[in-house]
């Protein structure tokens, strides 16, 4: 059996719960383990329930998992929230027996088979270390001591993080570690079976958070202008990008609102630069008119929408996948745009680069949909080969001065109708011939035109660009057939996108281990809808399950709308509680559809 | 950053595209086209390097009539689109042409920010004191009492003092001119293009089709040159603000003899100051952080993410 352990820190926002998770994740990764984190916190700056969960394994981890093995409860609320999830074989570390704000029902927990350790984190921090803020270090160090993580690794991480703040801060944290270690040695008898097996061979990996991966991807893709207005959970894309982009000769611009961000992107793109913005639901609503302008003027633009739970301000720090309609159809008129979605941190990185490639190739806006939980999820991913990526970047077909004969220039049109619908690009300061990009319908030479013939010609040209986007980019649909061959009959088919896809992947894996035949499809291209792949999948099973974290189930409805798959084959499975799925519930849903009894 | 320029002057007509303007005969905005072509010629700008943006409105069609690169954006969004160009290609001079409705109503949130950041943009607003393209509604600069299609009983609002606002916003060049005075207009626009930083020129530009009050006939004899006739020194911000606060006096018949304008419309440069532009500040940052080769040390960047 693979080693697979999940530690969850839960408590009040601002108490260091999140950084405890981060430290633990880094330590595990340092030891050579695969890691995936899951974090959630309230919209308020201080207070409210926060959690940080670290799953580690010696094998590739697909999702955040079903829950935890070890819970560190910082306070009573955290204990109450997680109590229903405690059961046989789980470990609870709580802030006691003195100094904390709660007392778990020890007898009951013992009956349930929970291993309970009382570590008076608050008291030790206050009285022994003399600084309450070290409570989370005490908590972490206790976990390290109890489960066999080398304390050296934690110390290294502390030095990395705090040496800038001075020796005193580092020493204070070291003291907290020592206090925790001594307390555990003197007072706690280990009764649980969990232990980290020890370091693995080092892998060539980097650790990225979801939004960090987007930022790095954008920098590698060569973004020169990034314009944005702060909004949770998208803000950190810009935060992470600003130090890198300056080294690449680009600039992060904070504009006065989302409308201006999108206009800045259009202006920069018109001037020849790769340009991007990142926002969340409310921001994408504001950008819609200008996304249409980018489409009409055929200017490449990358728009990242880190979805949150809406409508309106909704639950700004919570998870949902309900912006697909807005991303794909949110504008006015028939415009051309592409919507893509990554399912994990690694894809956040590569798909951001892909977003630029698609935007440059097809000369249109590309919207990448990620979500709050993925933006915060950390993963260790194989170190990317930047040189290779750079070699494969797609650049705009800019017509440069001196490249065309003077007599040819006259008949060279910015919106020339071509075989593919993709036209030559003119850029100020570089191209021999100026033009005005206009949102008005226009002729090939960019002049406003409203005759029926001209309208039809240009609409056809623009739609032609993306008519074969699925065939031209087969890698944007990920097949997962297990032992099945294309065309075989499966027990059930599953389609899933975004973070839900990574969770579905794990559910599918578990079911396959139990002998079920499942055909799964994880489209990264959501719009235009990858009709062929979906119809092929449909031929393999009687039912297609589409799990989505939204009330309406946007993609399931797109399948009904844009493919020939019989409506009744599509089974929607929707959650909208502000959290992602856990693999178990998708697993159980599939079993239920297959008529299997699910054990409680 | 220095603009891309030509060695030799091109005649002004070379800056016109062969698209015929769709404007009504007699529209004040024609004067702005002429003045712009003169200014571009004088400044030896390269048509293949000029960038223009505009919003939506009669006036905002202007870039289409020009032999220059242009983006005819959505209503109100000309300024941020220009900002995008400035960030991507500061060597291309950027001129924004728009209407009073476009800039001071729907696009209003962008004006003070673009001004205070001192982007090197020339903004020429064709102020006909109403919305023309949508067929006669009041705009933020319409007179009190102006009858638009949505308020046939007359405007119950007072107009917005855009000159005072521009100075207060931090624009580093603020002027007003008149499309019926070609010489003044061309000189003012040229000074604005030459100015390094955010230059705003409000052009009193009649709409003979709809606005029957602010007409060429009305303006005749009702202009006063603040620099020549009043000796105003544009480097004096206090004096500029004082003068600016009287810009709309002429709307009020009771102020016919009042100082400083004596019931006339002021034209001229109200304010002008040299200040580092946003682009210059960005360039400094890039110089500090970007490697000369343009390609950063990716290994060093990736090392930051290693466990
Ligand atoms: C989002 C949006 N709202 C409304 C309109 C309709 N519209 C077009 S032009 C215009 C007003 C233009 O007025 P102004 O900027 O003063 O220009 P003028 O036509 O007077 O030169 C309006 C409201 C639009 N095109 N887009
Ligand atoms: S309606 Fe007025 S502003 Fe528009 S073109 Fe005609 S005269 Fe000019």
């Amino acid at each position: 059996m693979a080693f697979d352990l999940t530690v969850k820190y839960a408590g009040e926002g601002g108490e260091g719960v999140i950084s405890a998770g981060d430290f633990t994740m880094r330590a595990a990764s340092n030891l050579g383990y695969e890691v995936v984190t899951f974090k959630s916190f309230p919209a308020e700056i201080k207070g409210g329930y926060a959690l940080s969960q670290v799953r580690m394994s010696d094998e590739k981890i697909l999702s955040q998992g079903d829950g935890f093995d070890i819970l560190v409860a910082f306070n009573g609320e955290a204990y109450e929230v997680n109590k229903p999830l405690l059961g046989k074989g789980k470990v609870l570390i709580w802030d006691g027996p003195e100094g904390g704000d709660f007392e778990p029902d020890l007898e009951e927990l013992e009956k349930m088979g929970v291993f309970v350790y009382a570590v008076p984190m608050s008291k030790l921090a206050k009285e022994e270390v003399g600084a309450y803020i070290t409570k989370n270090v005490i908590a972490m160090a206790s976990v390290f001591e109890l489960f066999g993580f080398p304390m050296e690794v934690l110390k290294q991480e502390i030095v990395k993080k705090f040496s800038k703040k001075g020796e005193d801060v580092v020493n204070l944290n070291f003291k907290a570690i020592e206090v925790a270690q001594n307390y555990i040695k003197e007072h706690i008898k280990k009764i649980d079976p969990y232990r980290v097996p020890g370091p693995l061979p080092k892998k060539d990996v980097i650790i990225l958070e979801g939004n960090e991966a987007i930022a790095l991807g954008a920098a590698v893709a060569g973004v020169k202008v990034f314009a944005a207005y702060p909004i949770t959970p998208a803000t950190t894309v810009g935060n992470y990008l600003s130090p890198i982009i300056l080294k690449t000769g680009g600039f992060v611009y904070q504009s006065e609102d989302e409308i201006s961000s999108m206009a800045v992107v259009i202006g920069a793109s018109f001037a020849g630069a790769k340009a991007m913005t990142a926002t969340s639901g409310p921001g994408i609503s504001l950008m819609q008119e200008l996304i249409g302008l980018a489409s009409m003027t055929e200017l490449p633009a990358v728009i990242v929408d880190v979805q949150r739970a809406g409508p309106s301000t909704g639950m700004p720090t919570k998870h949902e996948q309900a912006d697909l309609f807005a991303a794909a159809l949110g504008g006015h008129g028939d415009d051309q745009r592409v919507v893509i979605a990554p399912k994990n941190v690694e894809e956040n990185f590569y798909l951001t680069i892909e977003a630029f490639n698609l935007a440059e190739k097809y000369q249109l806006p590309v919207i990448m949909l990620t979500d709050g939980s993925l933006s915060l999820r950390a993963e260790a991913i194989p170190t990317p080969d930047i040189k290779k990526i750079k070699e494969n970047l797609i650049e705009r077909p800019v017509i440069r001065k001196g490249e065309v004969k003077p007599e040819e220039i006259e008949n060279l049109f910015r919106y020339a109708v071509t075989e593919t619908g993709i036209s030559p690009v003119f850029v100020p300061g570089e191209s021999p011939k100026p033009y005005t990009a206009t949102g008005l319908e226009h002729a090939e030479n960019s002049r406003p035109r409203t005759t029926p013939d001209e309208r039809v010609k240009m609409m056809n040209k623009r739609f032609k660009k993306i008519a074969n986007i699925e065939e031209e980019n087969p890698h944007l649909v990920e097949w997962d057939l297990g032992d099945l061959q294309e065309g075989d009959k499966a027990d059930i088919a599953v389609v899933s996108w975004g973070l839900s896809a990574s969770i579905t992947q794990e559910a599918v894996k578990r079911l396959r281990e139990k002998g079920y035949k499942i055909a799964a499809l994880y489209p990264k291209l959501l719009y235009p809808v990858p009709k062929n792949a979906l119809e092929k999948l449909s031929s393999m099973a009687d039912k297609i399950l589409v799990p989505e974290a939204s009330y309406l189930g946007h993609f399931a409805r797109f399948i009904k709308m844009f493919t020939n798959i019989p409506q009744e084959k599509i089974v929607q499975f929707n959650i909208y509680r502000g959290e992602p799925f856990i693999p178990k519930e998708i697993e159980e849903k599939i079993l239920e559809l297959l008529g299997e009894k699910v054990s409680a | 950053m220095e603009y891309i320029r030509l060695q030799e002057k091109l005649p002004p007509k070379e800056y016109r595209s062969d698209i015929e303007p769709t404007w009504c005969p007699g529209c004040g905005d024609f004067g702005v086209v002429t003045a712009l072509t003169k200014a571009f010629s004088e400044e030896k700008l390269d048509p293949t390097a000029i960038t223009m943006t505009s919003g939506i409105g009669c006036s905002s069609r202007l870039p289409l009539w020009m032999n220059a690169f242009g983006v005819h954006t959505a209503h109100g969004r000309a300024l941020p689109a220009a900002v995008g160009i400035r960030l991507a290609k500061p060597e291309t001079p950027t001129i924004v042409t728009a209407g009073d409705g476009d800039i001071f109503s729907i696009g209003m949130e962008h004006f003070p920010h673009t001004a205070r950041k001192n982007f090197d943009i020339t903004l020429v607003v064709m102020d006909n004191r109403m919305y023309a393209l949508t067929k006669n509604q009041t705009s933020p600069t319409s007179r009190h009492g102006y009858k638009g299609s949505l308020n046939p009983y007359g405007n119950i609002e007072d107009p917005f003092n855009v000159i005072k606002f521009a100075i207060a916003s931090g624009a580093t060049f603020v002027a007003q001119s008149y499309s019926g005075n070609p010489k003044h207009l061309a000189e003012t626009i040229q000074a604005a293009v030459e100015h390094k930083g955010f230059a705003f020129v409000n052009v009193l530009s009649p709409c003979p089709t709809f606005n029957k009050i602010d007409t060429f006939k009305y303006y005749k004899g009702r202009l006063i040159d603040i620099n020549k006739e009043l000796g105003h020194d544009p480097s004096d911000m206090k004096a500029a603000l004082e003068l600016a606060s009287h810009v709309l006096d002429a709307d009020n018949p009771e102020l016919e003899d009042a100082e400083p304008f004596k019931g006339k419309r002021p034209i001229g440069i109200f304010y002008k100051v040299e200040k580092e532009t946003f682009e210059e500040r960005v360039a400094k940052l890039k110089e500090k952080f970007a490697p000369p080769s343009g390609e950063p040390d990716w290994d060093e960047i990736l090392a930051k993410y290693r466990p």
Side-chain angles (χ1 to χ4, degrees):
Chain A
M1 265 285 272
F3 166 72
D4 188 340
L5 183 76
T6 303
V7 182
K8 179 174 185 174
Y9 298 93
E12 192 170 288
E15 268 202 314
V17 172
I18 301 295
S19 64
D22 285 349
F23 275 118
T24 308
M25 176 269 290
R26 288 187 180 279
S29 178
N30 233 306
L31 291 173
Y33 291 91
E34 298 275 341
V35 287
V36 162
T37 67
F38 172 63
K39 299 176 208 179
S40 179
F41 40 76
E44 295 71 30
I45 302 296
K46 273 226 178 317
Y49 173 67
L51 74 91
S52 180
Q53 190 178 300
V54 187
R55 186 175 176 196
M56 55 199 93
S57 174
D58 45 14
E59 282 183 359
K60 172 110 189 118
I61 305 174
L62 297 170
S63 81
Q64 84 280 13
D66 290 327
F68 55 83
D69 302 298
I70 297 156
L71 171 71
V72 187
F74 276 47
N75 63 12
E77 186 186 6
Y79 170 65
E80 290 302 329
V81 171
N82 289 288
K83 205 166 137 187
L85 306 172
L86 282 166
K88 194 170 157 49
K90 307 239 174 207
V91 176
L92 168 70
I93 299 172
W94 64 286
D95 188 13
E98 290 167 50
D101 70 343
F102 69 112
E103 207 158 326
D105 189 338
L106 297 174
E107 250 172 64
E108 195 194 330
L109 289 170
E110 201 179 325
K111 257 191 245 147
M112 283 159 63
V114 179
F115 306 109
V116 184
Y117 302 119
V119 179
M121 306 178 246
S122 300
K123 190 164 178 271
L124 292 176
K126 260 188 260 174
E127 292 171 15
E128 303 284 322
V129 189
Y132 182 68
I133 48 159
T134 60
K135 178 175 168 180
N136 71 330
V137 180
I138 305 244
M140 268 187 278
S142 305
V143 167
F144 275 54
E145 182 68 27
L146 275 164
F147 305 104
F149 290 93
M151 207 62 81
E152 270 321 300
V153 182
L154 177 59
K155 286 185 182 162
Q156 275 167 26
E157 291 299 325
I158 295 229
V159 172
K160 246 197 239 169
K161 175 138 185 204
F162 294 121
S163 57
K164 264 185 268 150
K165 293 192 176 174
E167 214 173 312
D168 288 354
V169 179
V170 174
N171 288 338
L172 190 73
N173 283 291
F174 279 9
K175 186 167 175 202
I177 292 173
E178 200 187 312
V179 165
Q181 258 179 314
N182 290 341
Y183 186 86
I184 302 285
K185 277 188 189 131
E186 281 167 31
H187 297 88
I188 298 206
K189 192 170 159 285
K190 190 170 163 76
I191 46 170
D192 70 87
Y194 301 108
R195 235 194 128 68
V196 181
L200 298 173
K202 272 241 188 287
K203 288 186 193 138
D204 187 12
V205 291
I206 55 171
I207 298 176
L208 296 173
E209 252 182 29
N211 280 356
E212 213 169 12
I214 296 173
L216 186 62
V220 172
V223 66
K224 283 291 172 299
V225 175
F226 176 93
Y229 186 77
I231 184 168
T232 303
T235 314
T236 52
V237 175
N239 297 355
Y240 287 128
L241 182 59
S242 42
I244 322 173
I245 200 174
L246 274 175
K247 293 187 188 152
T248 67
F251 191 69
V252 164
Y253 180 69
Q254 182 180 332
S255 58
E256 56 271 20
D257 56 35
E258 286 86 351
I259 299 177
S260 57
S261 305
M262 191 58 215
V264 169
V265 165
I266 286 175
S269 181
F270 174 78
K274 287 188 180 175
M276 169 183 175
T277 182
T279 188
S280 189
I284 207 102
S285 299
L286 289 179
M287 288 175 185
Q288 290 293 359
E289 186 191 8
L290 285 162
I291 294 174
L293 178 67
S295 186
M296 196 65 160
T297 51
E298 303 192 46
L299 290 170
V302 173
I303 302 120
V304 171
D305 176 6
V306 189
Q307 300 165 96
R308 59 193 222 179
S312 188
T313 316
M315 302 194 287
T317 58
K318 300 295 179 192
H319 175 90
E320 206 161 81
Q321 297 180 277
D323 287 356
L324 177 55
F325 287 167
L329 309 176
H332 62 279
D334 291 326
D335 69 12
Q336 300 76 35
R337 36 172 112 177
V338 173
V339 182
I340 53 177
K343 70 175 183 301
N344 56 30
V345 174
E346 189 169 7
E347 288 187 3
N348 263 9
F349 174 76
Y350 286 102
L351 218 52
T352 302
I353 296 163
E354 186 76 45
F356 278 99
N357 282 343
L358 293 167
E360 294 296 330
K361 176 169 181 197
Y362 297 105
Q363 295 174 29
L364 41 61
V366 175
I367 302 173
M368 186 169 99
L369 289 182
T370 72
D371 58 64
S373 292
L374 186 48
S375 77
L376 294 170
R377 165 165 155 171
E379 266 173 50
I381 70 166
T383 305
D385 183 343
I386 307 276
K387 218 176 128 219
K388 204 163 137 215
I389 296 171
K390 289 253 170 212
E391 277 164 14
N392 293 317
L393 292 179
I394 296 179
E395 306 295 340
R396 241 170 276 189
V398 175
I399 303 289
R400 297 203 159 74
K401 283 177 189 166
E403 276 178 7
V404 279
K405 298 196 195 90
E407 62 270 24
E408 286 169 359
I409 293 174
E410 205 182 329
N411 290 320
L412 201 58
F413 300 128
R414 168 63 185 101
Y415 297 112
V417 175
T418 61
E419 196 65 31
T420 53
I422 296 161
S423 312
V425 176
F426 305 166
V427 167
E430 293 176 35
S431 302
K433 180 172 166 177
Y435 79 106
T436 294
T438 173
L440 291 167
E441 187 55 279
H442 43 262
E444 286 179 88
N445 61 9
S446 81
R447 290 164 184 215
R449 265 290 179 71
T450 54
T451 61
D453 285 355
E454 206 67 48
R455 165 70 170 174
V456 170
K457 187 166 136 192
M458 294 318 277
M459 284 295 269
N460 289 350
K461 166 197 146 53
R462 289 189 299 262
F463 274 104
K464 199 170 181 186
K465 293 195 294 185
I466 49 169
N468 300 317
I469 193 164
E470 184 188 351
E471 291 76 62
E472 286 161 11
N473 302 276
H475 59 285
L476 291 180
V477 211
E478 182 186 340
W479 284 95
D480 176 13
L481 294 180
D483 295 335
L484 295 167
Q485 301 295 321
E486 219 178 83
D488 284 356
K489 207 76 194 156
D491 298 330
I492 192 165
V494 189
V495 176
S496 194
W497 65 278
L499 186 71
S500 297
S502 71
I503 298 155
T504 304
Q505 253 186 322
E506 178 154 350
V508 167
K509 186 172 167 241
R510 291 183 198 172
L511 287 164
R512 289 209 182 115
E513 278 160 13
K514 291 180 188 160
Y516 293 96
K517 288 191 282 184
I518 297 170
L521 192 73
Y522 309 118
K524 301 182 225 297
L525 175 69
L526 301 181
Y527 186 85
V529 172
K531 181 172 179 283
N532 300 339
L534 287 162
E535 286 174 359
K536 219 183 265 173
L537 177 81
S538 170
S539 72
M540 295 182 70
D542 299 331
K543 274 186 190 139
I544 304 172
L545 179 72
V546 191
E548 286 177 274
S550 70
Y551 187 92
L552 289 174
H554 294 210
F555 195 63
R557 285 169 200 261
F558 268 11
I559 299 175
K560 294 180 187 174
M561 199 167 154
F562 293 109
T563 72
N564 293 317
I565 298 171
Q567 307 260 327
E568 58 282 3
K569 280 185 88 165
I570 312 290
V571 183
Q572 291 192 208
F573 179 30
N574 299 111
I575 58 162
Y576 33 87
R577 53 182 189 241
E579 292 168 1
F581 284 100
I582 56 171
K584 202 164 110 187
E585 65 190 323
I586 294 179
E587 189 185 350
E588 286 173 359
K589 182 74 188 179
I590 294 174
L591 287 173
E592 183 195 309
L593 287 172
L594 293 176
E596 305 289 332
K597 255 227 166 75
V598 181
S599 55
Chain B
M1 177 167 285
E2 273 309 307
Y3 293 154
I4 298 171
R5 286 179 208 262
L6 299 167
Q7 306 279 28
E8 304 279 325
K9 246 194 221 178
L10 275 182
K13 68 171 181 7
E14 293 294 320
Y15 292 92
R16 281 289 308 275
S17 71
D18 52 7
I19 306 184
E20 269 311 300
T22 47
W23 290 332
C24 313
C27 177
D29 298 349
F30 281 106
V32 174
V33 174
T34 311
L36 277 168
T37 58
K38 272 198 192 136
F40 291 171
S41 167
E42 288 300 321
E43 291 295 309
K44 292 192 193 156
L45 300 184
D46 180 346
T48 65
I50 298 170
T51 50
M52 303 187 68
T53 71
S54 66
I56 300 294
C58 289
S59 41
S60 286
R61 295 265 170 128
L62 193 147
L64 291 160
W65 329 142
M66 305 293 287
N67 181 30
F69 275 92
V71 200
H72 181 215
T73 71
H75 196 21
R77 313 305 164 198
L79 280 172
V83 165
I85 296 174
R86 298 308 303 147
L87 293 173
K89 273 233 154 62
E91 64 272 31
T92 64
T94 309
I95 291 90
V96 176
T97 53
D100 43 293
D102 189 83
I103 287 290
F104 295 117
S105 189
I106 190 167
M108 183 52 151
E109 71 225 271
H110 311 306
F111 184 106
H113 299 289
T114 318
R116 79 183 163 81
K117 294 178 192 183
N118 200 31
F119 274 99
D120 186 11
I121 289 171
T122 299
L123 167 64
V124 180
V125 173
M126 287 155 264
D127 184 3
N128 56 13
R129 307 195 78 183
M130 42 82 64
Y131 288 6
L133 192 65
T134 41
K135 300 193 169 69
N136 198 20
Q137 293 81 33
T138 54
S139 92
T141 62
S142 289
R143 286 167 182 259
H144 181 90
Y146 184 86
K147 291 188 173 117
S149 70
L150 292 170
N151 51 4
Y153 43 80
N155 190 11
I156 58 172
E157 303 164 20
D158 291 326
F160 181 52
N161 186 332
V162 300
I163 301 293
K164 202 163 131 188
F165 176 73
I167 299 171
S169 295
T172 50
F173 181 105
V174 180
Q176 181 155 275
S177 190
Y178 170 52
S179 54
N181 185 341
K183 190 166 175 285
H184 190 270
L185 184 60
E187 281 170 9
T188 311
I189 288 181
Q190 195 193 332
V193 172
E194 215 169 283
H195 176 74
K196 278 258 170 261
F198 189 83
F200 165 53
V201 183
N202 197 57
V203 183
L204 306 169
S205 190
C207 164
T209 302
F210 293 114
N211 189 335
K212 305 295 183 195
I213 305 172
D214 303 280
T215 58
F216 283 108
K217 194 167 156 232
Y218 164 81
Y219 285 116
K220 202 166 162 69
R222 278 210 178 85
L223 295 174
I224 182 165
D225 186 321
I226 56 170
N227 311 110
K228 289 206 179 102
E229 294 177 52
L230 299 179
H232 170 63
D233 167 11
S235 67
D236 184 343
M237 184 192 244
K238 227 171 132 193
L241 273 171
E242 167 58 24
L243 274 189
S245 54
H246 294 284
V247 161
L248 293 167
D249 280 3
D251 276 357
N252 186 350
E254 282 170 24
L255 296 176
E256 211 152 359
D257 299 317
E259 296 289 348
F261 304 141
K262 301 199 169 62
K264 291 183 175 172
R265 304 273 163 194
I267 56 168
I269 302 173
F270 281 82
Y271 185 56
K272 179 171 162 39
V273 67
E274 296 298 323
K275 192 185 138 184
E276 198 170 38
T277 63
F278 196 93
E279 295 88 325
E280 284 166 344
R281 293 182 181 182
V282 172
K284 275 189 186 162
L285 280 173
K286 286 188 183 172
E287 204 178 296
K288 189 166 163 198
F289 292 102
S293 70
E295 200 51 36
D297 182 344
W298 285 104
D299 288 335
E300 186 195 309
I301 291 173
L302 289 178
K304 290 219 157 59
Y305 304 108
R306 293 193 188 276

